[in-house]
Amino acid sequence: SRAGMVLSVLVILLLSMLYEAVKMGKAVLLRRALLALPRSLSRESLAEPEEGGTGPAQGSCIFFPIFFHRWFRYHVSQTLFHVVQVVLGYMVMLAVMSYNAWIFLGAIAGSTLGYFV
């Protein structure tokens, strides 16, 4: 029916917009993860301090677990974003593979609007 087709095109349009939003969110998360990395990782700054030692490495054993925890949290978030992006991409691709011109135009319009927003 006509209403079903309009609804289908609207759903594909929204899925395409969501795909673009997830893609952008993944890029923002990658930038944050890179900014969270320390400027330099030397073996000395990550090594356990020697007993009685008073050097720049003193107390740096706390740094590595905090750094690793932050990196791991970003990595898990990026993985989840990637899974959502792949699922949405395949859903839009399957809809386009119905060879319906209106569905195809809905996917193109959604991708355009999603990128613009």
Side-chain angles (χ1 to χ4, degrees):
S1 70
R2 192 173 292 240
M5 179 56 72
V6 169
L7 184 64
S8 296
V9 171
L10 185 62
V11 166
I12 295 303
L13 186 130
L14 292 175
L15 282 177
S16 296
M17 287 181 71
L18 185 61
Y19 176 83
E20 291 293 331
V22 167
K23 187 168 72 170
M24 190 61 180
K26 196 169 119 179
V28 168
L29 195 61
L30 176 63
R31 185 175 49 125
R32 286 185 184 170
L34 291 175
L35 289 174
L37 288 175
R39 292 276 181 219
S40 68
L41 289 176
S42 64
R43 187 176 298 249
E44 291 82 21
S45 69
L46 296 177
E48 298 262 350
E50 295 178 14
E51 279 189 43
T54 58
Q58 184 77 22
S60 66
C61 63
I62 296 171
F63 170 75
F64 187 71
I66 292 171
F67 157 71
F68 182 75
H69 174 70
R70 195 179 308 156
W71 173 84
F72 186 74
R73 190 175 66 216
Y74 280 124
H75 190 63
V76 168
S77 300
Q78 285 176 325
T79 302
L80 294 175
F81 266 87
H82 180 73
V83 168
V84 170
Q85 182 183 4
V86 167
V87 168
L88 287 172
Y90 276 114
M91 288 174 65
V92 171
M93 181 196 66
L94 284 173
V96 168
M97 292 303 293
S98 69
Y99 299 108
N100 186 315
W102 293 109
I103 297 289
F104 177 73
L105 291 175
I108 296 298
S111 181
T112 303
L113 286 174
Y115 184 81
F116 181 75
V117 170

